Protein backbone atom coordinates (compact mmCIF):
# COMPACT_ATOMS: atom_id res chain seq x y z
CA UNK A 1 0.00 0.00 0.00
CA UNK A 2 1.38 3.40 -0.97
CA UNK A 3 0.41 6.81 0.38
CA UNK A 4 -0.94 9.69 -1.70
CA UNK A 5 2.65 10.62 -2.69
CA UNK A 6 3.47 7.11 -3.93
CA UNK A 7 5.50 5.99 -0.89
CA UNK A 8 5.18 2.48 0.51
CA UNK A 9 6.17 2.12 4.18
CA UNK A 10 9.95 2.18 4.54
CA UNK A 11 11.54 -1.26 4.84
CA UNK A 12 14.79 0.42 5.92
CA UNK A 13 13.65 2.67 8.76
CA UNK A 14 10.92 1.58 11.12
CA UNK A 15 11.17 4.47 13.58
CA UNK A 16 9.29 7.59 12.57
CA UNK A 17 10.06 11.09 13.68
CA UNK A 18 13.84 10.61 13.77
CA UNK A 19 16.68 11.19 11.34
CA UNK A 20 17.99 7.84 10.10
CA UNK A 21 21.60 9.07 10.31
CA UNK A 22 21.70 11.24 13.44
CA UNK A 23 18.73 9.89 15.41
CA UNK A 24 17.68 13.47 16.12
CA UNK A 25 14.01 14.26 16.38
CA UNK A 26 12.14 17.51 16.53
CA UNK A 27 13.73 18.96 13.41
CA UNK A 28 12.44 19.20 9.87
CA UNK A 29 12.71 15.74 8.30
CA UNK A 30 12.82 14.99 4.58
CA UNK A 31 12.12 11.68 2.85
CA UNK A 32 15.15 10.50 0.91
CA UNK A 33 14.88 7.82 -1.74
CA UNK A 34 17.98 5.64 -1.42
CA UNK A 35 18.09 4.86 -5.13
CA UNK A 36 17.32 8.12 -6.89
CA UNK A 37 17.46 9.31 -10.47
CA UNK A 38 15.77 6.79 -12.75
CA UNK A 39 15.12 4.51 -9.74
CA UNK A 40 13.38 7.12 -7.55
CA UNK A 41 9.82 5.90 -8.22
CA UNK A 42 10.88 2.29 -7.67
CA UNK A 43 12.55 3.25 -4.36
CA UNK A 44 9.32 4.90 -3.23
CA UNK A 45 7.16 1.97 -4.31
CA UNK A 46 9.43 -0.66 -2.72
CA UNK A 47 9.95 1.18 0.57
CA UNK A 48 13.61 1.99 -0.02
CA UNK A 49 13.65 5.40 1.60
CA UNK A 50 14.61 6.96 4.94
CA UNK A 51 13.86 10.13 6.87
CA UNK A 52 16.78 12.55 7.09
CA UNK A 53 17.24 15.74 9.03
CA UNK A 54 16.90 18.54 6.48
CA UNK A 55 20.54 19.63 6.97
CA UNK A 56 21.80 16.05 6.53
CA UNK A 57 19.63 15.69 3.43
CA UNK A 58 21.05 18.88 1.91
CA UNK A 59 24.60 17.70 2.72
CA UNK A 60 23.88 14.40 0.98
CA UNK A 61 22.61 16.16 -2.13
CA UNK A 62 25.69 18.38 -2.17
CA UNK A 63 27.57 15.23 -3.09
CA UNK A 64 28.42 13.44 0.16
CA UNK A 65 29.57 10.37 -1.77
CA UNK A 66 30.50 8.42 1.35
CA UNK A 67 27.06 8.77 2.93
CA UNK A 68 25.34 8.04 -0.39
CA UNK A 69 27.38 4.85 -0.82
CA UNK A 70 26.63 3.76 2.76
CA UNK A 71 22.88 4.25 2.24
CA UNK A 72 22.93 2.36 -1.06
CA UNK A 73 24.83 -0.57 0.46
CA UNK A 74 22.40 -0.72 3.38
CA UNK A 75 19.44 -0.38 1.03
CA UNK A 76 20.68 -3.21 -1.17
CA UNK A 77 21.22 -5.56 1.78
CA UNK A 78 17.79 -4.82 3.22
CA UNK A 79 16.04 -5.08 -0.16
CA UNK A 80 17.72 -8.40 -0.96
CA UNK A 81 16.66 -9.80 2.42
CA UNK A 82 13.15 -8.37 2.34
CA UNK A 83 12.37 -9.38 -1.24
CA UNK A 84 14.50 -12.58 -1.24
CA UNK A 85 16.56 -11.30 -4.18
CA UNK A 86 19.92 -12.58 -5.26
CA UNK A 87 22.60 -10.05 -6.19
CA UNK A 88 21.75 -10.58 -9.87
CA UNK A 89 18.06 -9.94 -9.19
CA UNK A 90 18.93 -6.74 -7.34
CA UNK A 91 21.08 -5.59 -10.27
CA UNK A 92 18.13 -6.23 -12.62
CA UNK A 93 16.03 -3.92 -10.43
CA UNK A 94 18.59 -1.15 -9.75
CA UNK A 95 21.26 -1.55 -12.42
CA UNK A 96 24.27 -1.99 -10.16
CA UNK A 97 25.73 -3.95 -7.24
CA UNK A 98 26.57 -1.62 -4.34
CA UNK A 99 28.08 -4.25 -2.03
Amino acid sequence: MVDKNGYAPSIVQHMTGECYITGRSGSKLDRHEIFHGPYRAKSKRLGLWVLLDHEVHMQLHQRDAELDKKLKKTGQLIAMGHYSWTTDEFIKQFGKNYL
Side-chain angles (χ1 to χ4, degrees):
M1 175 171 36
V2 297
D3 68 13
K4 66 181 180 175
N5 296 312
Y7 287 88
S10 177
I11 64 170
V12 180
Q13 181 180 19
H14 301 288
M15 298 294 287
T16 58
E18 294 180 356
C19 174
Y20 181 74
I21 300 300
T22 67
R24 286 186 289 200
S25 60
S27 61
K28 181 180 182 324
L29 297 172
D30 301 331
R31 289 188 199 181
H32 172 72
E33 298 82 17
I34 294 173
F35 304 100
H36 38 81
Y39 303 112
R40 181 175 183 263
K42 191 177 288 190
S43 285
K44 290 168 60 171
R45 190 175 66 249
L46 294 176
L48 293 167
W49 60 271
V50 294
L51 293 173
L52 296 177
D53 177 270
H54 182 71
E55 290 179 26
V56 172
H57 196 213
M58 291 300 99
Q59 173 189 344
L60 178 63
H61 283 286
Q62 292 171 356
R63 302 296 176 231
D64 187 336
E66 184 177 324
L67 179 55
D68 188 51
K69 184 176 180 180
K70 178 182 175 183
L71 286 172
K72 283 180 168 62
K73 181 177 180 178
T74 300
Q76 179 175 346
L77 287 169
I78 291 171
M80 288 173 63
H82 185 82
Y83 293 108
S84 300
W85 290 338
T86 64
T87 301
D88 288 339
E89 289 169 324
F90 177 85
I91 293 169
K92 286 178 185 173
Q93 293 291 322
F94 291 99
K96 183 175 177 179
N97 180 8
Y98 294 95
L99 300 182

